[in-house]
Short mmCIF file of all heavy atoms in Angstrom, two decimals:
data_model
loop_
_atom_site.label_atom_id
_atom_site.label_comp_id
_atom_site.label_asym_id
_atom_site.label_seq_id
_atom_site.Cartn_x
_atom_site.Cartn_y
_atom_site.Cartn_z
N ALA M 372 -17.45 -9.74 27.72
CA ALA M 372 -18.02 -9.84 29.05
C ALA M 372 -16.97 -9.94 30.10
O ALA M 372 -17.07 -9.43 31.20
CB ALA M 372 -18.98 -11.04 29.08
N GLU M 373 -15.85 -10.59 29.78
CA GLU M 373 -14.77 -10.79 30.74
C GLU M 373 -13.99 -9.51 31.00
O GLU M 373 -13.58 -9.19 32.14
CB GLU M 373 -13.83 -11.91 30.27
CG GLU M 373 -12.74 -12.28 31.26
CD GLU M 373 -11.90 -13.43 30.79
OE1 GLU M 373 -12.34 -14.15 29.81
OE2 GLU M 373 -10.88 -13.72 31.43
N HIS M 374 -13.81 -8.78 29.92
CA HIS M 374 -13.08 -7.47 30.02
C HIS M 374 -13.85 -6.42 29.22
O HIS M 374 -13.58 -6.19 28.03
CB HIS M 374 -11.65 -7.63 29.44
CG HIS M 374 -10.73 -8.50 30.25
ND1 HIS M 374 -10.29 -8.13 31.53
CD2 HIS M 374 -10.26 -9.71 30.04
CE1 HIS M 374 -9.57 -9.10 31.99
NE2 HIS M 374 -9.49 -10.08 31.09
N PRO M 375 -14.83 -5.81 29.82
CA PRO M 375 -15.64 -4.77 29.08
C PRO M 375 -14.78 -3.57 28.70
O PRO M 375 -13.76 -3.30 29.41
CB PRO M 375 -16.74 -4.42 30.11
CG PRO M 375 -16.71 -5.48 31.08
CD PRO M 375 -15.33 -6.03 31.17
N PRO M 376 -15.21 -2.82 27.71
CA PRO M 376 -14.49 -1.60 27.36
C PRO M 376 -14.54 -0.60 28.51
O PRO M 376 -15.49 -0.53 29.29
CB PRO M 376 -15.27 -1.07 26.13
CG PRO M 376 -16.05 -2.21 25.62
CD PRO M 376 -16.33 -3.07 26.79
N ALA M 377 -13.49 0.23 28.61
CA ALA M 377 -13.42 1.20 29.71
C ALA M 377 -14.44 2.33 29.47
O ALA M 377 -14.77 2.66 28.29
CB ALA M 377 -11.99 1.81 29.79
N LEU M 378 -14.93 2.93 30.53
CA LEU M 378 -15.85 4.02 30.39
C LEU M 378 -15.08 5.32 29.93
O LEU M 378 -13.91 5.45 30.20
CB LEU M 378 -16.54 4.30 31.77
CG LEU M 378 -17.48 3.24 32.23
CD1 LEU M 378 -17.98 3.57 33.65
CD2 LEU M 378 -18.67 3.01 31.33
N SER M 379 -15.85 6.18 29.24
CA SER M 379 -15.26 7.44 28.83
C SER M 379 -16.24 8.55 29.23
O SER M 379 -17.16 8.84 28.54
CB SER M 379 -14.97 7.47 27.31
OG SER M 379 -14.50 8.70 26.93
N GLY M 380 -16.02 9.10 30.41
CA GLY M 380 -16.96 10.02 30.92
C GLY M 380 -18.31 9.37 31.22
O GLY M 380 -18.35 8.32 31.86
N ARG M 381 -19.33 9.90 30.72
CA ARG M 381 -20.68 9.36 30.89
C ARG M 381 -21.06 8.34 29.79
O ARG M 381 -22.08 7.71 29.86
CB ARG M 381 -21.75 10.46 30.96
CG ARG M 381 -21.62 11.41 32.17
CD ARG M 381 -22.77 12.34 32.22
NE ARG M 381 -22.67 13.23 33.34
CZ ARG M 381 -23.57 14.18 33.63
NH1 ARG M 381 -24.57 14.41 32.80
NH2 ARG M 381 -23.39 14.91 34.69
N ARG M 382 -20.19 8.32 28.79
CA ARG M 382 -20.46 7.44 27.65
C ARG M 382 -19.79 6.06 27.86
O ARG M 382 -18.71 6.02 28.48
CB ARG M 382 -20.05 8.05 26.36
CG ARG M 382 -20.70 9.37 26.03
CD ARG M 382 -19.99 10.02 24.81
NE ARG M 382 -20.35 9.35 23.57
CZ ARG M 382 -19.56 9.37 22.50
NH1 ARG M 382 -18.35 9.96 22.57
NH2 ARG M 382 -19.93 8.80 21.37
N SER M 383 -20.34 5.07 27.34
CA SER M 383 -19.71 3.74 27.38
C SER M 383 -19.85 3.04 26.07
O SER M 383 -20.93 3.20 25.36
CB SER M 383 -20.35 2.89 28.50
OG SER M 383 -21.73 2.67 28.25
N LEU M 384 -18.84 2.35 25.66
CA LEU M 384 -18.85 1.60 24.44
C LEU M 384 -19.53 0.30 24.69
O LEU M 384 -19.21 -0.38 25.63
CB LEU M 384 -17.44 1.32 23.92
CG LEU M 384 -17.29 0.39 22.77
CD1 LEU M 384 -17.89 0.98 21.43
CD2 LEU M 384 -15.78 0.10 22.48
N LYS M 385 -20.50 -0.04 23.79
CA LYS M 385 -21.20 -1.35 23.86
C LYS M 385 -21.00 -2.11 22.59
O LYS M 385 -21.15 -1.50 21.51
CB LYS M 385 -22.65 -1.12 24.16
CG LYS M 385 -22.95 -0.60 25.56
CD LYS M 385 -24.43 -0.43 25.77
CE LYS M 385 -24.69 0.16 27.23
NZ LYS M 385 -26.15 0.28 27.48
N ILE M 386 -20.65 -3.34 22.67
CA ILE M 386 -20.44 -4.21 21.51
C ILE M 386 -21.60 -5.20 21.51
O ILE M 386 -21.74 -6.01 22.42
CB ILE M 386 -19.07 -4.92 21.53
CG1 ILE M 386 -17.95 -3.84 21.51
CG2 ILE M 386 -18.95 -5.87 20.38
CD1 ILE M 386 -16.56 -4.47 21.68
N TYR M 387 -22.37 -5.17 20.41
CA TYR M 387 -23.60 -5.98 20.33
C TYR M 387 -23.36 -7.32 19.65
O TYR M 387 -23.92 -8.39 20.05
CB TYR M 387 -24.68 -5.26 19.58
CG TYR M 387 -25.08 -3.94 20.27
CD1 TYR M 387 -24.86 -2.74 19.56
CD2 TYR M 387 -25.57 -3.87 21.53
CE1 TYR M 387 -25.20 -1.51 20.14
CE2 TYR M 387 -25.92 -2.64 22.09
CZ TYR M 387 -25.71 -1.48 21.40
OH TYR M 387 -26.03 -0.27 21.99
N SER M 388 -22.48 -7.32 18.66
CA SER M 388 -22.30 -8.55 17.87
C SER M 388 -21.07 -8.43 17.01
O SER M 388 -20.49 -7.36 16.88
CB SER M 388 -23.55 -8.88 17.06
OG SER M 388 -23.44 -10.13 16.42
N VAL M 389 -20.68 -9.53 16.37
CA VAL M 389 -19.55 -9.51 15.45
C VAL M 389 -19.80 -10.57 14.39
O VAL M 389 -20.47 -11.62 14.64
CB VAL M 389 -18.22 -9.79 16.19
CG1 VAL M 389 -18.26 -11.19 16.85
CG2 VAL M 389 -17.04 -9.75 15.22
N ALA M 390 -19.36 -10.30 13.18
CA ALA M 390 -19.50 -11.26 12.06
C ALA M 390 -18.29 -11.17 11.13
O ALA M 390 -17.77 -10.09 10.98
CB ALA M 390 -20.77 -11.01 11.28
N GLN M 391 -17.87 -12.29 10.62
CA GLN M 391 -16.86 -12.27 9.57
C GLN M 391 -17.63 -12.14 8.26
O GLN M 391 -18.44 -12.96 7.87
CB GLN M 391 -16.04 -13.58 9.55
CG GLN M 391 -14.96 -13.54 8.47
CD GLN M 391 -14.12 -14.83 8.46
OE1 GLN M 391 -14.38 -15.78 9.14
NE2 GLN M 391 -13.09 -14.82 7.63
N ASP M 392 -17.31 -11.05 7.51
CA ASP M 392 -18.06 -10.78 6.31
C ASP M 392 -17.24 -10.90 5.04
O ASP M 392 -17.74 -10.68 3.96
CB ASP M 392 -18.67 -9.34 6.35
CG ASP M 392 -17.71 -8.30 6.88
OD1 ASP M 392 -16.47 -8.51 6.79
OD2 ASP M 392 -18.14 -7.27 7.36
N ALA M 393 -15.98 -11.35 5.17
CA ALA M 393 -15.14 -11.55 3.95
C ALA M 393 -13.90 -12.37 4.35
O ALA M 393 -13.51 -12.45 5.47
CB ALA M 393 -14.73 -10.26 3.33
N THR M 394 -13.34 -12.98 3.31
CA THR M 394 -12.02 -13.66 3.45
C THR M 394 -11.09 -13.06 2.38
O THR M 394 -11.51 -12.46 1.40
CB THR M 394 -12.15 -15.17 3.23
OG1 THR M 394 -12.59 -15.43 1.94
CG2 THR M 394 -13.09 -15.78 4.24
N GLY M 395 -9.81 -13.30 2.54
CA GLY M 395 -8.85 -12.80 1.59
C GLY M 395 -8.81 -11.30 1.42
O GLY M 395 -8.96 -10.87 0.27
N PRO M 396 -8.63 -10.50 2.51
CA PRO M 396 -8.21 -10.89 3.89
C PRO M 396 -9.41 -11.22 4.75
O PRO M 396 -10.50 -10.79 4.46
CB PRO M 396 -7.52 -9.64 4.33
CG PRO M 396 -8.28 -8.51 3.71
CD PRO M 396 -8.60 -9.03 2.35
N PRO M 397 -9.11 -11.89 5.88
CA PRO M 397 -10.21 -12.12 6.85
C PRO M 397 -10.76 -10.76 7.40
O PRO M 397 -9.94 -9.97 7.94
CB PRO M 397 -9.57 -12.93 7.98
CG PRO M 397 -8.29 -13.47 7.35
CD PRO M 397 -7.86 -12.46 6.33
N SER M 398 -12.02 -10.51 7.26
CA SER M 398 -12.57 -9.18 7.58
C SER M 398 -13.71 -9.43 8.53
O SER M 398 -14.55 -10.23 8.33
CB SER M 398 -13.11 -8.55 6.29
OG SER M 398 -12.03 -8.40 5.33
#
Side-chain angles (χ1 to χ4, degrees):
E373 187 175 347
H374 293 290
L378 294 175
S379 177
R381 294 184 178 180
R382 301 170 73 206
S383 62
L384 172 66
K385 293 182 180 179
I386 299 176
Y387 302 116
S388 188
V389 60
Q391 182 179 6
D392 43 24
T394 62
S398 303

